[in-house]
Amino acid sequence: MLHRKSNVPFSGTKEQEQALLKVIQELKDEKGALMPILQKAQDIYGYLPEEVQKIISDETGIPMEKIYGVATFYSQFSLSPKGKYRISVCLGTACYVKGSGDIYDKLMEKLGISGGECTPDGKFSLDACRCVGACGLAPVMMVNDDVYGRLTVDDIDDILAKYE
Amino acid sequence: MKSLDELKVIREKMRGEVGYRVEHKTPVDIAGAAASYLAANGEKWDTSYRAHVLVCGGTGCTSSGSKRIAEKLEEEIEKQGLKDEVCVIRTGCFGLCALGPIMIVYPEGSFYSMMKEENIPRIVEEHLVKGNVVKDLLYEETVHEDEILPLQETNFYKKQHRVALRNCGVINPENIEEYIGTRGYEALGKVLTEMTPEQVIQTMLDSGLRGRGGAGFPTGLKWKFAAANDADQKYVCCNADEGDPGAFMDRSVLEGDPHVVLEAMAIAGYAIGASQGYIYVRAEYPIAVERLNIAIGQAREYGLLGKDIFGTGFDFDIELRLGAGAFVCGEETALMTSIEGNRGEPRPRPPFPALKGLFAKPTILNNVETYANIPQIILNGPEWFASMGTEKSKGTKVFALGGKVKNIGLVEIPMGTTLREIVEEIGGGIPNGKKFKAAQTGGPSGGCIPAEHFDVPIDYDNLMAIGSMMGSGGLIVMDEDTCMVDIAKFFLEFTVDESCGKCTPCRVGTRRMLEILDKITKGQGTMEDLDRLEELAEHLSSNSLCALGQTAPNPVLSTLRYFKDEYIAHIVDKKCPAGVCKELFTYKINPDKCKGCTACARVCPNSAISGTVKNPHSIDSDKCVKCGACVEKCRFGAIYKD
Amino acid sequence: MENINIKINGLDVSAPAGSTILEAAHLAGIKIPTLCYLKDINEIGACRMCVVEVKGARNLVAACMYPINEGMEVFTNTPKLIKSRKRTLQLMLSNHEKKCLECVRSGNCEFQELCKEYGVDDVNYFEGSENHYELDTSAAHMVRDNNKCILCRRCVAVCDKVQGVGVIGANNRGFDTAVGSAFEMGLGQTSCVSCGQCIAVCPVGALYEKDYTDEIIDAIADPDKYVVVQTAPAVRAALGEEFGYPMGTDVEGKMAAALRRLGFDKVFDTDWGADLTIVEEAHELVDRIQNGGVLPMITSCSPGWIKYCEHYFPDMTEHLSSCKSPQQMFGAMLKTYFAEKEGIDPKKIVSVSVMPCTAKKFEIGRDNENAAGVPDVDITITTRELARLIKRCGIEFTALPDEGFDDPMGESTGAGVIFGATGGVMEAALRTAVETLTGEELPKLDFTEVRGTEGIKEATYKVGGMDVKVAVASGLRNAKTLLEKVKAGEADYQFIEIMGCPGGCVNGGGQPQVSGHVRNFTDVRGIRASVLYKNDAAKAIRKSHENPAIKKLYEEYLGEPGSHKAHETLHTTYVKRTING
């Protein structure tokens, strides 16, 4: 598959673009500014589609491939939009030994998507994450900023229902 | 800008407030030197409040709702008109994250655990208004028949010795004056006005402090090398990209005591001749990032960062850089490459960062916990620090205790404490009467320590000798239900995910190792595969570019060393002794125990269970997907793995 | 410089301070294998082929990066190392498409060579999952086949560091790491300038030019076609390497003989086109200087450079000479002047060029490169393709006699031949322009200040009481440095020569590949360039405007340099592109 373009059409607004341009102007002369710019850009747009990376490239003169190479290296940068509800399941050691792998499998099955994907209606996206530091509550998952701990596979339906 | 004298005034003003909390923490010297300094004056601590309520604002407790608890508390206190008598302080982590949200009330030191919002009015009414401790809401271990123990008397805290974590859970991390009240920035003042850079480095060398981030390189030596290289610009970096799954001590320090890191970095800057620092912190730590930003802002405001600090002509400032989710960036050259705005790929050493580091300038990089020790070493002297620990590993080490152990949390112990003491005494042993099998230290770079080494004093060199490593201090306890092949596979999955892909051995080799492990856990492995696995492990150790690849085989090598029989059981007998690897066991129903309640059959997602009401059921192993749902449902313990 | 004494394999070795183990070993006649390492370009220690044992070191170290220090003891060929390298090769093989027999690099693949050296007897030793990639055929000049890529990243380094283009890089992470462009778009959609330097440094068959040798064989066999070939100056300086001649051998005569035996109807020389270019370009320069045109004027012979300028300095295309490149001028005259003269229908002519260049494959498809209403050049092949063609057609190159080019478009001067080296166009243009401006004959034809392989060269010449300031850059990173100076008003040159490839065409992206371990210790550009300067020095006529065939062309067809007809046929236009496509 050459040219990995997101199948979700880009819907950036003028305001978002203004905000991005402002960030770039503020940061671009700093040493090693690319990472902070990408982080802010992702804050503004929620992800880093081709259109956004192109603006960054045009404004900073950094080759787009370099930007893309950086964006695909770090797991926190996303090329596809995230769902309205972002589910992440901790697969850190503590959670893993307490069965978070099963929770993750169950979510994939329930939502009909794989990790890193977004449901077609844009509602849920699912990711695995590493330790969120709530090992005492293992196994743990997060939906946006809500944390659900001491989970069992049976809790999944109820949790999802809250967001339906 | 504050002068040293002005700093003293703040310290005098604050020491009462902080000391009030510190005082009640005896006999465990939680605030370390701060307490002894205050105690030297032999007085009762002045506080403008009759009670201090500390609510943990660390990530663990925040995620279980401590923010709301603190808000509710403030509301209730306001309602009861206690605003001028009782203060609420949001601190960093207390360490016992499993019991969160946690709240402590002084002067009694009452330790309330697993707080719920609805309990707050009662505690305020009973405890803070009427003076009656609400026993049924206390952490059960502190409640004894005739007395209530302070937290420090509990098994979890008794053996601990807090140096790096001394202020965590004591001070308000968002108030620089509280830090100053615990002798904060006094070490920086001492260094800048009374010591030469050479003396600072000598102090570090004498203390024997070794890097807490992994390999344990002597901190003083690192500084000495960087100081020796002339350059127009040098850098001091802080590695706060804590990446080991299960380790969170750096986060706790940043959340609970951010100024200690800033102060130590400034000391390092003075020692090596750097004026700029960078803290590379995981973006996954939003609370730490926020508190660091607040701390940097306050430190600048007080003139403790910036130009001409204390009027000594020394300039030092710090910038935050956020990681973006790449474990390899914990490797020093990768971290610097990342700060420079690139893919975080390591580069070969030499040249070492002390000569050519960040932006090709001489650079030192230390991790958070290392820095957290430094102001104390300056204030109390290197001998004090060197008096703790073992011959070659001085001081204390923080471990993130997790896995199959009762007391999950952060513990700081002197080097040389045994694994047994940590697991059995501090950790409260293994739950559910299970047997200890192994402890994993050092995360994906470390190894599994079997029961036979339960009494080995833990320090850098002993851990290396038994095939593991200190790493950043994750300590995961495993019981008899843990499959060691599965654990090795788990860590390999992690390194395969996190390999940067630059060098051949790690990029391809970790993947091949994982594939072999996968085969073995599925019962498809051969003894030849095992040989190949070992060969690959050794190849990666000696050929990989960076420490990530070099240590990636450790989980495999150590489990092969101590648990080879488990590998062989998977390969030859096609059995998983711990009953973890799904392909290698079947679920069966014990007809003697089965009451024929049909619960299992109803829950089975694949209709693999058949049987009639009140008669023993059976499982069709061809249809069974081994999801375990039936086991969860069975009230009679009739379903077992075979 | 101070020397440092070390022991390698027990032997005392002395090497300059600052040397790496690899360099010290080379001095001692010990070869340490490398794959990713390219001196000054790709020093990343990634492939781990060059691992050696250093006494006292905990792990094996990469010899390509590790500096020597006094008293160091190094071992380069212990059983442990030999096995380590073999295992590393086998790991690479486990994710490499092993279709060696059908690979363009079979026989001169550095990876294959190492497998042979290290006795790799089982290519499936570490068999496991493999990555599969689609071929990228979107660019005019080349194919990228990631299935063969071993991730040495030489191409990435050369694209970014040497050329300042950076349209390819490492994407993703870990086992999924792959070299590619942003959003996996095809090279043809990016601002790739088609220089082919990535191909030149690729150790395996992951990058290769689009091959047109079969089209040429078919055209020659077609009785209705009149097939004419031209060969660029730099080709004769490197073609011999493909046939076992030492680097720096001039094979002009054998090349002409081989082309004739291949069956071309005419064997001509791009040098003729180069002489024509100089006459037109010198005229344009003099005109710009005398009539207040846009200065500095920048040469336009290098299509990689032209595309670079269009993408990265679109506001500076007015500085580009409007002259077509020698190849295109030649093609234009072939299908107009020569066709008319010989009475051949230009549509029947197949205009073939042999170039040290891959960007030529892009250039022949540009707008306004069709003087006769049909493309000036129909097929362009690289030096490598020519070697393949010669071999495929069973011509024993080494046994050939030396022959000359055909008339009239085979006649050239020394000025035309030095086009193939950086500074050559400048020197050739100066020989003509100075004489034009002063009206006097030059006492000395060698403009040595602009010779040599440095990336940027500057000189000032007194020409009839006026200072003419010139600059020469090769390699696009250097071009960028120079252009930024011009843009910032920090330089007031009148004339600049820019070549896309470092060292000029002799080191072009279409030249025979030189393996890393040779390249790292050899001045490839300098040695090849020396062929051209020797050729120039030996020529009777060394100034383009004195080429009798060119003079005749103007007399018979074009009139004056810069005439209306010359403009219609020999000049072109440029487009403004952006840095992202």
Side-chain angles (χ1 to χ4, degrees), chain B residues 50-122:
Chain B
R50 69 169 168 83
H52 289 200
V53 185
L54 275 57
V55 180
C56 177
T59 293
C61 286
T62 301
S63 64
S64 47
S66 72
K67 202 168 165 209
R68 190 61 209 123
I69 300 284
E71 284 164 5
K72 183 77 180 170
L73 203 53
E74 277 159 352
E75 283 165 29
E76 287 297 315
I77 286 170
E78 170 101 53
K79 225 188 262 174
Q80 298 282 358
L82 300 176
K83 246 189 108 188
D84 298 330
E85 296 169 45
V86 180
C87 62
V88 176
I89 297 136
R90 291 180 212 188
T91 69
C93 181
F94 288 90
L96 258 174
C97 308
L99 300 176
I102 285 170
M103 178 175 130
I104 297 183
V105 182
Y106 289 114
E108 298 87 348
S110 315
F111 184 80
Y112 292 102
S113 64
M114 292 177 125
M115 288 308 299
K116 291 194 178 74
E117 213 180 313
E118 57 263 34
N119 297 330
I120 299 298
R122 216 176 113 210

Side-chain angles (χ1 to χ4, degrees), chain B residues 215 324-328 343 345-352 464 496-509 511-512 515 532 535-536 539-546 550, chain C residues 43-48 51 58-62 65-67 80 83-85 87-88 91-92 94-95 122 124-131 150-151 153 170-177:
Chain B
F327 175 70
V328 69
R343 293 163 60 86
E345 293 171 347
R347 44 194 187 221
R349 299 175 304 178
F352 286 96
M464 287 282 249
V496 165
D497 267 0
E498 296 298 336
S499 166
C500 80
K502 183 175 178 180
C503 81
T504 316
C506 180
R507 180 183 68 243
V508 190
R511 176 67 163 249
R512 296 295 171 247
E515 285 166 354
R532 194 131 310 168
E535 188 181 12
L536 271 168
H539 185 73
L540 265 63
S541 299
S542 49
N543 284 273
S544 297
L545 167 60
C546 82
Q550 288 160 9
Chain C
E43 300 181 341
I44 60 172
C47 73
R48 314 311 286 173
V51 288
R58 204 153 41 96
N59 290 308
L60 305 181
V61 306
M65 302 271 301
Y66 207 94
K80 177 181 170 149
K83 192 170 167 199
S84 277
R85 292 179 193 143
R87 294 291 178 249
T88 297
L91 280 172
M92 275 182 216
S94 75
N95 191 28
D122 181 359
N124 295 320
Y125 192 78
F126 291 124
E127 195 172 21
S129 58
E130 292 176 38
N131 290 320
I150 55 166
L151 287 165
R153 307 203 195 177
N171 295 332
N172 303 318
R173 183 165 87 187
F175 192 73
D176 297 328
T177 306

Side-chain angles (χ1 to χ4, degrees), chain C residues 194-208:
Chain C
S194 312
C195 71
Q197 282 296 313
C198 54
I199 305 176
V201 298
C202 181
V204 295
L207 305 173
Y208 50 92

Side-chain angles (χ1 to χ4, degrees), chain C residues 340-406:
Chain C
E340 269 176 41
K341 204 168 140 135
E342 298 289 315
I344 306 167
D345 178 0
K347 291 193 183 67
K348 286 193 171 173
I349 298 179
V350 178
S351 166
V352 175
S353 71
V354 184
M355 294 285 140
C357 181
T358 52
K360 293 285 170 191
K361 293 181 194 279
F362 175 80
E363 185 185 39
I364 61 172
R366 291 182 65 103
D367 288 342
N368 294 317
E369 304 280 355
N370 43 6
V374 285
D376 295 336
V377 177
D378 298 293
I379 303 173
T380 176
I381 59 170
T382 61
T383 311
R384 295 186 293 264
E385 287 168 273
L386 175 59
R388 259 173 250 154
L389 188 60
I390 292 170
K391 289 173 188 169
R392 189 163 305 159
C393 292
I395 292 161
E396 281 284 4
F397 190 80
T398 54
L400 292 173
D402 286 344
E403 293 180 7
F405 293 103
D406 294 323

Side-chain angles (χ1 to χ4, degrees), chain B residues 174-249:
Chain B
E174 298 186 8
N175 183 348
I176 190 174
E177 298 203 345
E178 291 216 346
Y179 178 67
I180 293 169
T182 66
R183 300 184 73 184
Y185 291 105
E186 193 180 322
L188 178 62
K190 179 176 171 186
V191 160
L192 294 186
T193 55
E194 298 169 25
M195 294 171 83
T196 63
E198 294 73 31
Q199 286 171 328
V200 177
I201 291 171
Q202 195 55 48
T203 302
M204 298 310 298
L205 286 167
D206 293 343
S207 75
L209 176 66
R210 294 169 67 174
R212 298 300 193 233
F217 192 81
T219 305
L221 212 50
K222 212 181 236 189
W223 292 19
K224 194 177 164 182
F225 291 149
N229 290 314
D230 280 331
D232 54 344
Q233 175 75 60
K234 297 182 188 180
Y235 295 104
V236 170
C237 292
C238 172
N239 185 350
D241 191 48
E242 186 169 58
D244 283 18
F248 54 102
M249 58 285 299

Side-chain angles (χ1 to χ4, degrees), chain B residues 614-637:
Chain B
K614 293 193 176 161
N615 288 310
H617 283 46
S618 64
I619 300 176
D620 178 350
S621 53
D622 289 340
K623 278 178 143 184
C624 174
V625 294
K626 294 169 189 166
C627 66
C630 54
V631 183
E632 303 272 321
K633 265 281 180 295
C634 180
R635 286 179 290 131
F636 311 102

Side-chain angles (χ1 to χ4, degrees), chain B residues 163 207-210 212 373 376-377 380-389 394-396:
Chain B
V163 177
S207 75
L209 176 66
R210 294 169 67 174
R212 298 300 193 233
N373 284 293
Q376 293 300 294
I377 293 173
N380 299 332
E383 307 77 19
W384 162 79
F385 190 79
S387 71
M388 297 179 283
K394 300 300 184 188
T396 59

